[in-house]
Amino acid sequence: MKAVLVLNAGSSSLKFALYPLDASNSGRVAAAPAVSGQVEGIGARPEVSFKTAAGERIQEPVVTGGSQGEQHRDALEHVFALLERHNPTVDIVAAGHRIVHGGEHYSAPTRLEESVLRTLDAFVPLAPLHQPHNLRAVRAVAGLMPRVPQVGCFDTAFHRTQPAVAQAFALPRKLSAEGIKRYGFHGLSYDYVARQLPEIIGERARGAVVIAHLGNGASMCALRDGRSVASTMGFTAVEGLMMGTRTGSLDPGVMLYLMEQKGMDAKALTSLLYKESGLLGVSGISQDMRTLLASEAPEAREAVDLFCYRIARELGSLAAAAGGLDALVFTGGIGEHAAPVREKVAAMAAWMGIEIDPAANADHARRIDTAASRVAVAVVPTNEERMIARYTAETLGL
């Protein structure tokens, strides 16, 4: 069985999926992976959990040591051994990676050579929570499986269709020319969801659509005719919505104040922006929406309310960019599973003609709008891994 290995590497985790190729149709991958899972706890006590196509669930420890880079390599070695043990006939013919930032250079999936990786290294400061770990996994695979071609699939690529005005900051032209602009992220998720919409909302999928990808990282994207026209994230993945531990949009004057009056340096500010704020910072309890929704603490309620308020406010902005609103789509861990969040957002956006059915919302149905709603409202599970597998097969002509 020939298959594409999909990897999504984070600082302490490594998600993986093995997608068989369709031997009868070039460039096509199976609808579901033969194996999928993740290694969690890299840097502490790593453990791998995975599920086979038959539904069997397996969990086991990963023996590792050394630096973080060595631990990622050890985790990959364990995953390879695991795949071979449970799929002895599999032939991994390619590896596809989620790469968060492709900058201006990469607007389509790209074969990953060392020269490409050196270019991508320059974007590490723009996505410090993701980019270095994405690239570490690529280099680890190159060391372990040097003959296997690798493809990078960029979260920024989907947004390259945005008009120039949507990408621009009001900065001196020299800085803009150097690449300081709005890039947008979560593109693999938006691409997958946009492709599912015609079957779910019909012709409205070609109109003005806003997709809300809500999870520990959260953003929203406005689409017209299935193409990105505006997004909430910009130069980095910290702008826009409030997130699990990230601030989202923040008055730059706050940063100047913290530097001048509190003596905070770049390292302290980076930690504040990316790791100490968001749902965790506002609630003082947790970054996990499930924990906050279950809590009776007023701080938890305030964090949820602010999260929903920011979504509803950005919805109005994105509808303006899209020239209206034919559909609102929720995806991501929170978007797919947190009915109270969808309910709050819909209530605040009722002025736009949004009306959801409480029973359908509670059941996480695909369509949750009422017959009277002027706007279609859908819940669509995302599948970034399948997009990566598909792009990898198409790029390499498998």
Side-chain angles (χ1 to χ4, degrees), residues 16 147 212:
F16 61 91
R147 296 182 180 179

Side-chain angles (χ1 to χ4, degrees), residues 10 34 38 75 105-106 130 142-143 166 185 236 241 262 270 276 290 303 312 331 338 342 345 351 357:
Q38 63 182 331
H105 295 76
Y106 304 107
H130 306 91
F185 298 89
T236 69
L241 300 179
K262 300 294 184 180
T270 298
E276 302 170 18
R290 293 165 297 186
T331 192
R342 298 193 297 260
V345 171
W351 65 274
D357 180 271

Side-chain angles (χ1 to χ4, degrees), residues 194 196-209 223-227 325-327 329 367 374 376:
Q196 310 309 306
L197 289 181
E199 295 183 7
I200 300 171
I201 61 174
E203 280 300 310
R204 295 190 190 206
R206 299 181 62 84
V209 176
L223 293 83
R224 192 90 203 184
D225 198 23
R227 296 158 65 89
L325 186 63
D326 296 304
V329 183
R367 287 286 296 269
R374 296 199 303 271

